[in-house]
Amino acid sequence: MSLKEEFIFDFAVKMPRILVSGNAAVLDNIQKVVLISGDQIIINSGKRFTAVAGRNLEIRELADQRMYIEGEIDEIRFYGTSQED
């Protein structure tokens, strides 16, 4: 698969996707926010859940199935649901 094909495929898949840089993260393909606290944020992406854990976590922006988080990020976990395809 060429780099261009791989790039297009990555954006076509409706799975959780996260980009982390320093003390910030951008999460894509968000359907619902399940939990918000200062040390954990959990989101539902339909077939998967994504948990971001750390300290002083804040949602700075939430729009168009995308979330921008700031804080000291220690851990990111992806969980499946019992309704896997």
Side-chain angles (χ1 to χ4, degrees):
M1 183 180 293
S2 72
L3 183 59
K4 179 181 176 183
E5 290 170 334
E6 189 173 328
F7 185 72
I8 291 169
F9 176 78
D10 284 346
F11 282 95
V13 175
K14 294 296 182 187
M15 297 293 286
R17 184 173 34 236
I18 186 165
L19 173 66
V20 180
S21 178
N23 287 341
V26 176
L27 286 82
D28 284 329
N29 299 318
I30 294 177
Q31 289 187 1
K32 295 179 187 177
V33 178
V34 177
L35 173 78
I36 302 172
S37 70
D39 60 352
Q40 190 170 34
I41 297 173
I42 300 175
I43 62 105
N44 181 341
S45 296
K47 295 181 182 180
R48 302 259 190 261
F49 290 87
T50 304
V52 179
R55 292 175 301 283
N56 303 316
L57 298 177
E58 292 183 29
I59 298 173
R60 292 295 188 165
E61 187 174 335
L62 177 60
D64 299 326
Q65 295 187 345
R66 179 172 281 180
M67 176 186 290
Y68 176 69
I69 298 172
E70 286 185 347
E72 297 176 44
I73 299 170
D74 295 327
E75 181 178 41
I76 299 166
R77 290 189 180 203
F78 297 97
Y79 299 95
T81 66
S82 60
Q83 299 175 340
E84 296 285 334
D85 287 336

